[in-house]
Amino acid sequence: MSTVAQRSPAQIDPATDPYCPHPAIVTAVDPESPGVATFSLRFLDPAIQAEFRYRPGQFNMVGRPGVGEVPISISGAPGEGSGLRHTIRFVGRVTDTLREIQPGALVLVRGPYGSHWPVERAGGFDVVLIAGGLGLAPLRPAVKALLADRSRYGRLTLIYGARQPADLLFTTEYDAWQRQGMELLVTVDRADASWRGRVGVAPPLFRKIALDPARTVVMTCGPEIMMKFAIQEALSRGVAKSDVQVSLERNMQCAVGLCGHCQFGPLFLCTNGPVFSYDAIERFFGKEHF
Amino acid sequence: MPRPDAETSSSSMLVLPKAELGAVIRRLWDEGYTVVGPILAQGAIVIDELRTADQLPIGWTEEQERGTYRLKKRGDRAYFGFTVGPHSWKKYLFPPKLTLFTLEWGNDALAVHPSPEPVPRYAFIGVRSCDLHAIEVQDRTFLHGPYPDPHYKARRDHALIIAVNCAQAAPTCFCASMGTGPRVDRGFDLALTELADVFVAEIGSDRGRALLDGLSARIAGPDELDAARRVVEETAGQMVRKLDASDMPGLLYENLEHPRWDDVAERCLSCTNCTMVCPTCFCHATEEVPDLAGGRSERVRQWDSCFNPEFGHVAGGNSRPEIRARYRQWLTHKLASWIDQYGVSGCVGCGRCITWCPVGIDITEEVAAIRGSAEA
């Protein structure tokens, strides 16, 4: 009979352990709006940094030692510095501790995870991006990727709504995006004295834009109620359900399809999502408390 | 010590005197296994380390009904004359609390160290058919997804399994209707059927056969094989509960607004007992536990439950703020979306959730109620 070692120690290699994060350094912190900042990061291990590849719409788990980790979409564009860029709202136990961190601070990152916006598949199509509030962060890499290859696409439109002018993200980039060939329709729920733009919710702006419904891809991210109306607008214009792409949010703790928190019916948001074709989620989308 | 003859080393059905089980347990410890099995503790038959065969609940059984569990003396010396208690083997393969890794940091340095947890080689004694199926169900979650869990794998890969065919069914059992028992059919090293003085031992692997080498095992005769077969048949015949598991995704997805969810929410305490005793529930939370001195922390995962109010917490609120939504999530996942995710039901019919529900909610009854007045 073969002999078996007594209580062998753990033989778990961090390199193959999906839970093990990698240290990264904060290289820049750019305030975006009240309570929101963009953090640029770089992995300490040059090999991990060199291998890091992601697609627009994917996310990382970002952690603070001693505090914990949270899923954060990647707001950087491939080819933009290290590419590791996260736009974060200081809203929870973990993200609150990011409020005071400065360049040079060390954080923990693992990823990228999840599905991505179908930027390649949209070639030859009109593309409408419709975002609410912080929902522009995971769409920013899609904006950059579409504009980097502008001639491949038809009309490009970004509809963007925020509660108030101060909450609008990436405002310094809007001119460049328009110059490069994307139409922007920006609106706020509540104007302030300085605001000269639109007031009102974002989804009805869909009716203002020209598009070829048979050849249009819609990508939306924001509060579920906003996305619900955005989807209705897209479908009523005749866009196919499979061409409406929706990014969902749920509690997420492992990002690798094991912890169970992000389940949405049969789907795990972390591994099957967060970006879904509307036809894949239609059955459950909008079901109260599902 | 008698030598195994050529016949016992080729036959797959042997007979082992009951007294020899102690020798098997001793041998497993000597080989470096951590042997775990049923013992009497805390007023129940639970699973814990098993040093000797004397620790088995010999002569004990239990009464189970919805919301009820009572130990009871049998009139005999049966070794395995009971069914399943509150524990399942998942507590070893998927420990309730586990340090995933540790972190250490100081000025300009941050290091990730692998899990300090020991990974014992387990020998499980007394695994019932429902629980063997439950292990297979968890294998699909932890081993066969896009990101296999190395902690589960390290424990599962070497686990040795001595299964036991149930000689009785509890009133809460419904494995027969789930196609998961009561006869042990696969996934074991040895499978025992208990007769009056002997075990009929089915060999499931070379490792299982080697365990009996040199013991006074002999080839089972036709009468013994017949008696062993009757034991399982009688158990199947005793089973009173059943769950009609046909087209569960169709039934439950089409009935997400069925009034029964409101009805069960009136009774459910959202206590999480059903998910803790369930041998397939895998949801877990991760938490970072910092050292008081600073500069060190552990990332710990522990069993979570879709009945916990924080389970659905997101920055914007809670995706399942009321009990109705949580019970619906549990049942719909267990019986319907599990099939979409893993190709099998998440329910193996062990009945633990029925016994250990403090208000006696019965999963078979809830399904029957929805099926009986389905909206589609």
Side-chain angles (χ1 to χ4, degrees):
Chain A
M1 199 183 277
S2 62
T3 53
V4 181
Q6 285 276 1
R7 286 189 178 263
S8 57
Q11 300 286 315
I12 292 160
D13 176 3
T16 59
D17 182 344
Y19 289 104
C20 266
H22 305 290
I25 188 165
V26 176
T27 56
V29 181
D30 298 303
E32 296 286 354
S33 63
V36 179
T38 294
F39 296 83
S40 300
L41 312 171
R42 183 167 39 78
F43 286 111
L44 287 189
D45 183 337
I48 290 170
Q49 181 61 55
E51 285 166 19
F52 185 74
R53 298 274 184 284
Y54 66 94
R55 317 282 287 276
Q58 289 193 295
F59 67 96
N60 283 322
M61 294 300 287
V62 179
R64 283 280 282 157
V67 184
E69 62 177 5
V70 283
I72 308 277
S73 60
I74 301 170
S75 61
E80 188 177 35
S82 68
L84 255 186
R85 209 180 116 120
H86 291 283
T87 301
I88 301 174
R89 179 185 285 157
F90 310 128
V91 73
R93 201 177 47 80
V94 176
T95 52
D96 254 342
T97 71
L98 296 172
R99 203 185 285 273
E100 73 274 15
I101 74 168
Q102 298 294 323
L106 294 175
V107 296
L108 293 153
V109 178
R110 60 188 176 97
Y113 296 114
S115 60
H116 56 88
W117 302 112
V119 171
E120 290 84 3
R121 193 166 68 72
F125 277 52
D126 293 338
V127 181
V128 182
L129 312 179
I130 174 159
L134 206 59
L136 186 57
L139 278 167
R140 184 179 175 275
V143 171
K144 302 285 282 183
L146 293 165
L147 291 175
D149 212 357
R150 179 67 190 88
S151 61
R152 278 193 69 213
Y153 304 97
R155 283 164 286 220
L156 298 182
T157 312
L158 168 62
I159 299 172
Y160 181 39
R163 282 193 190 150
Q164 51 189 350
D167 289 338
L168 292 167
L169 296 181
F170 315 130
T171 48
T172 59
E173 302 182 67
Y174 297 171
D175 284 348
W177 293 353
Q178 296 189 80
R179 262 200 319 280
Q180 291 165 45
M182 178 172 280
E183 186 187 356
L184 256 68
L185 301 176
V186 179
T187 183
V188 297
D189 294 346
R190 287 190 309 276
D192 58 19
S194 67
W195 184 248
R196 297 285 173 271
R198 290 180 191 80
V199 177
V201 295
L205 295 177
F206 218 97
R207 296 170 209 163
K208 292 191 181 299
I209 60 180
L211 54 82
D212 173 3
R215 296 184 65 76
T216 294
V217 171
V218 175
M219 306 179 191
T220 183
C221 185
E224 265 185 38
I225 185 73
M226 182 223 82
M227 294 198 290
K228 181 181 161 190
F229 288 107
I231 293 162
Q232 278 177 14
E233 294 286 348
L235 299 181
S236 72
R237 289 292 297 272
V239 179
K241 287 173 183 172
S242 58
D243 287 331
V244 177
Q245 303 286 318
V246 184
S247 183
L248 296 181
E249 185 186 11
R250 284 290 183 276
N251 186 328
M252 207 180 269
Q253 299 192 11
C254 76
V256 292
L258 298 176
C259 82
H261 289 85
C262 70
Q263 288 178 86
F264 185 66
L267 303 166
F268 290 94
L269 255 60
C270 63
T271 50
N272 303 122
V275 177
F276 294 99
S277 289
Y278 180 61
D279 54 345
I281 57 168
E282 182 183 10
R283 187 171 206 173
F284 304 109
F285 187 78
K287 283 262 177 234
E288 193 185 20
H289 300 157
F290 184 68
Chain B
M1 204 180 271
R3 302 292 307 164
D5 61 28
E7 283 185 320
T8 57
S9 61
S10 65
S11 173
S12 69
M13 300 297 280
L14 303 182
V15 164
L16 185 72
K18 281 192 187 176
E20 292 277 65
L21 188 60
V24 172
I25 293 171
R26 255 194 319 280
R27 174 172 282 182
L28 286 165
W29 281 105
D30 289 346
E31 296 291 338
Y33 285 97
T34 296
V35 184
V36 295
I39 65 157
L40 279 181
Q42 307 164 63
I45 295 170
V46 300
I47 306 174
D48 209 333
E49 284 197 6
L50 194 62
R51 290 277 163 184
T52 67
D54 301 344
Q55 287 174 278
L56 289 165
I58 296 169
W60 286 91
T61 190
E62 82 282 89
E63 290 177 338
Q64 300 199 48
E65 242 312 332
R66 53 167 73 196
T68 298
Y69 181 100
R70 293 284 179 277
L71 285 176
K72 206 176 91 177
K73 271 284 194 190
R74 297 172 60 94
D76 61 15
R77 296 268 305 153
Y79 278 48
F80 295 100
F82 47 89
T83 59
V84 292
H87 289 180
S88 70
W89 312 91
K90 87 172 180 185
K91 77 178 222 187
Y92 296 106
L93 298 176
F94 167 47
K97 193 168 186 179
L98 181 81
T99 297
L100 297 172
F101 55 85
T102 61
L103 296 172
E104 203 171 1
W105 65 93
N107 293 336
D108 302 325
L110 172 56
V112 184
H113 303 298
S115 173
E117 307 260 5
V119 181
R121 287 168 192 254
Y122 287 115
F124 295 161
I125 296 193
V127 184
R128 308 307 175 114
S129 182
C130 57
D131 281 350
L132 263 180
H133 281 267
I135 291 170
E136 280 193 9
V137 170
Q138 286 215 323
D139 286 350
R140 290 172 188 250
T141 298
F142 288 116
L143 300 180
H144 302 150
Y147 299 91
D149 176 53
H151 306 277
Y152 183 91
K153 183 173 164 50
R155 289 161 178 77
R156 175 74 170 111
D157 276 354
H158 301 289
L160 182 142
I161 292 177
I162 300 182
V164 167
N165 278 308
C166 285
Q168 65 191 69
T172 44
C173 292
F174 57 101
C175 66
S177 65
M178 298 307 291
T180 53
R183 199 179 91 78
V184 167
D185 59 355
R186 59 175 188 256
F188 56 87
D189 294 287
L190 278 181
L192 308 178
T193 306
E194 184 169 8
L195 302 180
D197 303 309
V198 296
F199 294 113
V200 174
E202 182 176 358
I203 310 292
S205 73
D206 291 344
R207 201 161 55 151
R209 180 183 302 284
L211 264 183
L212 302 184
D213 273 357
L215 302 181
S216 51
R218 58 177 170 77
I219 294 173
D223 290 352
E224 289 155 333
L225 291 177
D226 199 42
R229 201 163 38 240
R230 275 202 310 277
V231 164
V232 193
E233 281 168 11
E234 281 166 21
T235 302
Q238 283 172 18
M239 227 169 284
V240 289
R241 271 190 170 76
K242 57 177 186 290
L243 192 153
D244 175 359
S246 58
D247 188 28
M248 290 308 302
L251 179 71
L252 296 182
Y253 293 166
E254 293 305 322
N255 285 281
L256 294 176
E257 306 303 335
H258 194 283
R260 188 70 182 189
W261 303 120
D262 297 304
D263 184 278
V264 71
E266 290 288 312
R267 289 170 280 137
C268 175
L269 306 175
S270 205
C271 73
T272 80
N273 265 16
C274 50
T275 53
M276 297 295 107
V277 297
C278 178
T280 68
C281 274
F282 60 82
C283 288
H284 57 271
T286 50
E287 184 188 17
E288 191 136 327
V289 183
D291 191 322
L292 282 179
R296 276 181 54 85
S297 66
E298 292 184 23
R299 183 72 57 80
V300 177
R301 82 173 179 198
Q302 51 187 319
W303 292 357
D304 198 357
S305 169
C306 52
F307 286 97
N308 277 328
E310 316 80 52
F311 190 86
H313 174 81
V314 286
N318 189 333
S319 51
R320 295 185 201 99
E322 12 90 330
I323 293 177
R324 173 184 179 274
R326 291 181 221 146
Y327 190 89
R328 183 178 68 178
Q329 169 60 23
W330 181 67
L331 198 78
T332 307
H333 183 218
K334 186 67 51 188
L335 296 172
S337 42
W338 210 296
I339 296 171
D340 291 328
Q341 292 167 346
Y342 301 110
V344 292
S345 176
C347 178
V348 295
C350 71
R352 287 181 175 94
C353 59
I354 303 171
T355 298
W356 297 96
C357 176
V359 296
I361 295 170
D362 175 351
I363 187 172
T364 66
E365 193 176 88
E366 297 310 314
V367 171
I370 292 173
R371 199 180 284 283
S373 56
E375 286 164 354

